[in-house]
Amino acid sequence: MIQRIPINNDWFYKPTFNQSDLTTVANESDFIKVRLPHTNKELPYHYFDESSYQLISSYKIKLPTFIVTEDEEISVHFEGVMAYAEIYLNGTFLGEHFGGYTPFEFNLPKGLLKASSSEHFDKDNWLFVKVDSRERDDIPPFGYVVDYLTYGGIYREVQLQINHTKKLRNVKIETPSMDGKTFNLNISFDVTQSTQPSDEVLLELWDDDNCLEKQKISWLKLTDNHIHINELDQIIPWKITTPKLYVLKLALQSNEQKYFLHTCKIGFRTVAFKSDGFYLNGEKVKLRGLNRHQSYPYVGYAMPKSAQFADADQLKYELGVNVVRSSHYPPSRHFLDRCDEIGLLVIEELPGWQHIGDQAWQNLALNSLDEMIRRDWNHPSVILWGTRINESKDDTAFYTKSSQLAKNLDTTRATGGVRNFAGSEVLEDVYTYNDFVHRGNNRALELPKKISKKEMPYLVTEHNGHMYPTKSFDTESKKIEHALRHARVINSAYSEKNISGAIGWCMFDYNTHKDFGSGDKICYHGVLDMFRNPKYAAGVYASQQSDQPYLSVASNFAIGDYEASELGKIIVFTNCDYIKVYRNDIYINTFYPDQTTFSAMPHPPIIVDDLIGNLLYENERFSEKDAAIIKKILLHFLKYGGELPLIDKIQMGILFVKYKMSFADAADLYGKYIAGWGEKSKTYRFDGIMKDTVVSQVIKSAADEFILRAKADCTLLTEEETYDVTRVSVCLTDPYGETLAYASQIVTCTVSGPLEIIGPSSFSLIGGARAFWVKTAGKKGTGHIEITLENGLETSVEITIK
Ligand code: GAL
C-alpha cells in the first residue's frame, strides 16, 4: 500500500546557509517557522531590488513518526525547489537536484534514520534542504537575461512516501481510438524488482462508483510491461465541453500480498496536429488561448492548490479560452489537475528563455524535459510538448536530442518548439511561432507558409505582449487599441485554416527583471493586471465563448478623457446577437457584430458609430430626410474634421439656406449630439440581446455616487495538505458596477479570525481595482476582513475556514 504523508507544515527557514547548520539541526534559533509553499523572500508589488531573493537559504523539518515494514521503503518527494537543492538527512548528504520546475525524490536510507525499533522511525529525524535560488549560469533558464522572475525557495509541496520496495514506476496511460468514440487503453510501466511467474497485475477502471473494467493479468502474459485493453465502448470521451474523467487503479499482487500502487485520474481522448489544424477526438478545434506565468504578487511562485485552480478557472470560465500555454516551464501539478477537470487544453514546455548554455547546461535541460514528460504524460489536458528553449536559435544536435527524447517517452503527443523567426530548422511536428508582426495598422498574422517554409502543422504561440504594453490605468485610446490588436489577431487566426490557433501574450502582468518591463519591474503585457483584474482586452477573449452571455463596453464615456471631447466609435465586446443603445433612456439604434472587419472570429466586436439615432428628427425642426443628411454630415465632421467631402459641403449650404442656419447653429448641433462639450452629461444604456431577449445590460453614466466592492473568489477555505488561500478583489465602481479606472485611493484591510493577508494590508487601488490573497492560519473558524477606503467607504468579506 502506498502511503503519502504531506510534510508542508512545521518547516524552519532561514535566508542564509552555514555548513555548521547541518550538524546542529535540532537548534531552531535563527530559523523562523514556515509552511509550504514558501517563498524565500516576500517582495513588494513593484520597484524592488531583484537580487533580493537570489540567495542561498536553509529549510529543515523534523520528520513525523512513521512505521515502515521490512519490505517497504521511504522516500521524500519535492514538487519544486528553485533552483538548486541539496538534501540532507540527519546531517548526511542524500542528493542534489538542479532546476526549479520539476519534481524529484530521494530514498531515506533506513540506516540513517533514528528509530526505536526496526519499524518505528519515531526519533528526531531531521531533513535539511540547502536551497540555492541564485540565477546560476549552469542551470536553465539562466545564463543570459530572462523576461520574468524565477523567485526562490521550496515553493511547491513536499511529501514522504512509503512504498513497497517492489513497485510499479513510470505508469503511462494512452487512450488510442480510431473514431473518437471507441477507445483502447494502453498501460505501460516499469517494475523496480524482478518479478516472479506468480505475480499478477490487478487493474480496475472506475466511473465514479461504477467499476467498468476489472482484470487480473498474470505477469507471464504481459509483454514488455504493457497492458492493452481493446475497444472499451461505453466510454465518454474527454472533451473541452464535457471533460469526463475516470479513475484507473493498478495494483501488483505478489506472494498473495496486494499492493495498491497507483491510482490515477484519466481521460479518454486523442489529439492530433495536422497541417490544416488541431483535432481533438477527430474533431477540429481552433485553439484560442493565453500564455500564463505561474507568478503572483509578493510571493512569486509560492501559491498552493486553490490559487492554481483559480487561475485555470479564470482562463476557462471568465476569459473563455480553450488553451493555455504554460510559458516557459512546467506549471504546478494542481494547475494541470484543474485543467483536466474543467477541459482546458495545455501546451507545456521545458524551462528556458532564448539562451542555450554549454553541454552540461543542455543535459540539465534534457533532464528537466524528461522529468516534465514523466510527471505529466497522463494528463488528458496536455496536448503538445515544447521541446525547444523558448525563442532560441536553431541547434541541430541539442534539438535532435530533445525532440527524440520526447518521442521516445510519448508517441501520442506532437512536439513543438517555440521560435520567433522564419525558416527555422524543424525537428518537431508543429511549427510553433511567436508572431509579433502586428503593429496596429498592418497585417495581424504572418502566413504560415512564409514562416515555416513548408506545409506543416502551425500554431501561433504568442502575439501582442511587448508590441503594445498596456496598463489598466492607461488612457482610453491605449486600452482600446490594446484590445483591438488582440481581436485582430484572433480574427486572423480564425480566418486562416492552416493556423491551428493563436495564444496571446499573456494572461496577466508579471514582475520582471530590470532589462525588461516598464522600469518598475513589471511587464504590463496582460489582458488582466497582476491582481487578475481585467483590462478591456480581457473582453475580447471573454466575448468569444458561448457558455454565458458577455457584454462589456470599452469606453468610460467621460468626454473630457477624449481628444476634442469626441467619444468617437464605441467598441463593444459581446457574444450577443445584437445590442440596442439608449441615450437618457431614449432608443437610439440597434448594432450588430462587425462581420466586415472581423469576418472570421466567433463573436466579432460591435462598433457603435452613431449615438444620435433619430434624435435630430425627433428633437429638432428638421424633416426626417434632412435630419438623416445632417446626421451624416455631423458624423463626417467627427471623422474628417474640417476637411469634409465636397458633397457634404454642398448639402450643408443647401440646408443652411433652407433652415436659416448659421455656422454657430451647426456647431451647437455638433456639440449637443456629438462632442457634448458644454452639454449636460448623458446616460447610455446598452442592452445585449440573444434570441430577441435582453440577456445583459451595461449602463455608462457620470457618477456622483461611488461604491467600494470586494469579493472573495471562494468563501469557504479548507486546510488539506497545507494552508489554503483565496483572492479577494476590490474595486471602486459607480452604482452600475463600472470600475472607475483612475481611482487610486488607499485601501486598508483589517483581518480578524484565523486568516492572514499575504503582502501589505494597506495599498492603493490601481486602475480603480486591486486584489489581495488571504491564507488560512491553521485553525478552523470564521475570518472577517474589513476593507476601508481612505475616504471612509467601507465593505467587508467573510470567509469560513474548515
Ligand atoms: C516573447 C517571450 C515572452 C515575453 C514576450 C513579451 O518574446 O517569449 O516570454 O517576453 O516576448 O511580448
Side-chain angles (χ1 to χ4, degrees), residues 147 328 353 390-391 434 436 462 464-466 505 510 525:
D147 169 28
H328 304 291
W353 203 83
N390 170 66
E391 293 189 338
N434 290 351
F436 294 115
E462 288 182 35
N464 280 298
H466 67 286
W505 190 267
Y510 53 95
H525 297 172

Side-chain angles (χ1 to χ4, degrees), residues 607-665:
I607 316 292
V608 176
D609 53 2
D610 168 19
L611 288 172
I612 305 175
N614 250 348
L615 298 182
L616 280 166
Y617 170 62
E618 282 161 16
N619 293 353
E620 308 292 338
R621 59 204 163 101
F622 310 120
S623 72
E624 199 166 1
K625 194 169 149 221
D626 292 343
I629 297 171
I630 294 171
K631 180 165 119 179
K632 181 200 72 175
I633 296 171
L634 292 178
L635 289 172
H636 277 176
F637 195 80
L638 176 66
K639 191 166 168 191
Y640 306 114
E643 307 292 306
L644 283 176
L646 184 60
I647 177 74
D648 289 353
K649 287 184 182 162
I650 296 168
Q651 286 175 323
M652 201 159 80
I654 296 168
L655 290 168
F656 271 25
V657 174
K658 182 168 174 187
Y659 291 98
K660 298 194 176 50
M661 281 169 70
S662 64
F663 273 105
D665 294 332

Side-chain angles (χ1 to χ4, degrees), residues 146 207 265 363 392 400 413 439 465 506 655 705:
V146 180
D207 175 6
K265 283 192 185 165
N363 289 341
S392 56
T400 302
R413 287 179 182 86
R439 289 174 175 266
C506 58
L655 290 168
E705 201 190 317

